[in-house]
Amino acid sequence: ININIKNRLMKVFNFTVLLFTLVLCVSEAVAQFNPYSEKAILGNAGIGISGYGIPIYASVDFGIADNITLGGGIGYQRDTESFSFLGTTTKWRHSIFNITARGSYHFNEILSLEDNWDIYGGLDLGYYIWDTKLSEGGTNVSYSGSGSGGLGVAIRGGARYFFKENLAANLEVGGGNVLSSARIGITLKL
């Protein structure tokens, strides 16, 4: 990753952490409720930071039992990579799309946390489509992995803070055999 992209990614990440902190500071008290109980539906969306651009994502979690959710998600990210050799610069554009199944365990009961907090960990199983195209430079250059796809497994940990009964800020970090990222967004209890 070149320095300009790293600087942009760090600015986005710092902004999202600042936004998350601000939401926590101006939040109001919420009524007693269990956002991850059986039959609960939680919709999530946001942005993140990773080694391959800025991911955007959306997911949904369905409560199947107290403290256990199953769901699915989609994500997309792009990145540009450049290589210089003997005075010639070649640039590649990566586009990555994924669809995942996700399962989570919510630790609030075990940790005796306040109801507006949701601390969870989980496992994702997904299919990743990775498309790489030459965007500038070399003519007889190939890139291994271009247009490839495959299964990916990842673990993740996350936290939500409900500042209203049906609205929360969320933060997730995770990684696996395909990608790693930190993500921040919102959760809507449907």
Side-chain angles (χ1 to χ4, degrees):
I1 292 180
N2 71 36
I3 292 185
N4 289 335
I5 292 173
K6 270 188 174 176
N7 288 338
R8 275 191 305 180
L9 291 174
M10 285 309 299
K11 285 179 184 177
V12 168
F13 183 74
N14 289 336
F15 174 76
T16 54
V17 168
L18 178 64
L19 181 63
F20 186 76
T21 303
L22 181 64
V23 166
L24 293 178
C25 291
V26 299
S27 66
E28 57 189 82
V30 295
Q32 297 282 323
F33 75 105
N34 184 349
Y36 42 86
S37 63
E38 187 174 353
K39 298 184 182 173
I41 301 173
L42 303 172
N44 310 291
I47 63 170
I49 184 170
S50 79
Y52 281 96
I54 299 171
I56 56 172
Y57 72 95
S59 64
V60 64
D61 297 315
F62 299 95
I64 61 164
D66 280 351
N67 303 317
I68 298 173
T69 56
L70 289 179
I74 58 172
Y76 177 77
Q77 60 199 82
R78 284 175 43 152
D79 191 29
T80 303
E81 191 174 21
S82 57
F83 301 97
S84 295
F85 184 70
L86 298 175
T88 301
T89 299
T90 303
K91 290 188 179 181
W92 301 94
R93 187 179 71 240
H94 305 283
S95 297
I96 308 159
F97 175 79
N98 67 289
I99 184 165
T100 58
R102 51 190 272 143
S104 301
Y105 182 81
H106 302 262
F107 296 97
N108 293 29
E109 221 173 289
I110 292 172
L111 299 175
S112 300
L113 297 175
E114 295 178 21
D115 286 341
N116 49 341
W117 282 101
D118 177 18
I119 307 295
Y120 57 94
L123 182 68
D124 295 349
L125 176 64
Y127 188 78
Y128 293 79
I129 301 167
W130 195 298
D131 185 38
T132 300
K133 295 195 183 320
L134 183 66
S135 65
E136 184 181 310
T139 54
N140 294 325
V141 182
S142 64
Y143 191 95
S144 65
S146 179
S148 65
L151 290 178
V153 177
I155 59 170
R156 84 189 125 66
R160 290 185 182 98
Y161 183 80
F162 283 86
F163 49 93
K164 292 196 178 274
E165 188 169 321
N166 65 343
L167 188 62
N170 70 19
L171 175 67
E172 286 186 354
V173 294
N177 66 329
V178 178
L179 292 171
S180 298
S181 68
R183 308 185 306 187
I184 192 165
I186 59 168
T187 297
L188 182 62
K189 183 180 179 209
L190 306 171

